Amino acid sequence: GSSKDEMAKLAAQARELGSTTKFKVTEAGEAMTYLGMAGWKTEQILGGMPGLLNLAAASGTDLALTADIVSDGMTALGLTAGTKIPNAFGKMVDSTTHFADVMAAASSNANTNVQMMGETFKYAASTAGALGYSIDDLGLATGLMANAGVKGSQAGTALRAIFTRMATETDSASQAMHMLGISMTEVGADGKEKMKSFTKVIQEMRSAFKQVD
């Protein structure tokens, strides 16, 4: 649905990326196609491509596959390309760039890669998004599980089950959480109850498990 002028902008960026990065013009164009198929508009594609190229280059993953994984993951988490979101330190950053940065950090610091993370996100990201968890939360959980040898779709299935059981508080999960003294929610600065970040839940669980004989 792009206009003639918008197509010219996309073509110009593809040529620029093809001449200034390790990727070919056709590879950049193919990645743009996947983003367009995911519903991204011209300005969103133009803004998101540099971050995607950095992620693909850092991880050695096919550029089109990287674009497909990132666009699918962002949609599942309820993120919109070209918007500002808070990072783990509360600083407002570009959503696509931050998503790609988190994946790059996780794939370089944990025993996983972008393609396996994409498989994990396929199963767990939509549930994480429904609970209000961030890409920081999901990236951390994915990296920790990968370091324990649980990766790809196996990690995604396990994470989805964890999120669901803790959020719905089945009898067994509720009893265990009560025993450990942890909860999924907290009172925010506005006095209203809100979901804790999954990162905070993990930290509390680590502390609680240290007290269990």
Side-chain angles (χ1 to χ4, degrees), residues 137 140 182-183 186-187 194 196-206:
D137 288 324
L140 174 64
I182 60 175
S183 68
E186 62 184 352
V187 178
K194 65 175 186 178
K196 293 177 182 175
S197 71
F198 192 60
T199 302
K200 188 170 185 178
V201 173
I202 291 175
Q203 292 170 341
E204 292 181 354
M205 289 177 69
R206 280 178 166 172

Side-chain angles (χ1 to χ4, degrees), residues 9-21:
K9 289 181 181 180
L10 293 170
Q13 187 187 56
R15 286 193 294 269
E16 179 186 358
L17 295 173
S19 63
T20 59
T21 71

Side-chain angles (χ1 to χ4, degrees), residues 70-102:
V70 170
S71 60
D72 285 351
M74 289 183 65
T75 298
L77 281 175
L79 299 175
T80 302
T83 59
K84 297 291 184 180
I85 59 173
N87 64 12
F89 304 101
K91 182 180 178 181
M92 300 305 290
V93 293
D94 178 76
S95 57
T96 306
T97 301
H98 184 59
F99 195 101
D101 286 346
V102 170

Side-chain angles (χ1 to χ4, degrees), residues 88-196:
F89 304 101
K91 182 180 178 181
M92 300 305 290
V93 293
D94 178 76
S95 57
T96 306
T97 301
H98 184 59
F99 195 101
D101 286 346
V102 170
M103 289 196 72
S107 61
S108 61
N109 291 287
N111 190 16
T112 186
N113 58 42
V114 169
Q115 190 165 355
M116 285 191 287
M117 290 184 72
E119 281 296 307
T120 300
F121 291 179
K122 186 186 299 182
Y123 292 87
S126 58
T127 305
L131 293 172
Y133 292 150
S134 67
I135 179 55
D136 303 78
D137 288 324
L138 189 56
L140 174 64
T142 301
L144 290 173
M145 295 191 77
N147 284 343
V150 185
K151 309 174 188 179
S153 58
Q154 184 182 18
T157 302
L159 272 177
R160 182 176 60 190
I162 290 169
F163 293 151
T164 302
R165 287 176 65 83
M166 294 183 72
T168 54
E169 294 195 0
T170 59
D171 288 343
S172 57
S174 181
Q175 290 173 8
M177 291 172 70
H178 180 73
M179 180 189 73
L180 293 169
I182 60 175
S183 68
M184 298 286 285
T185 61
E186 62 184 352
V187 178
D190 58 0
K192 297 180 180 179
E193 191 173 47
K194 65 175 186 178
M195 293 292 292
K196 293 177 182 175

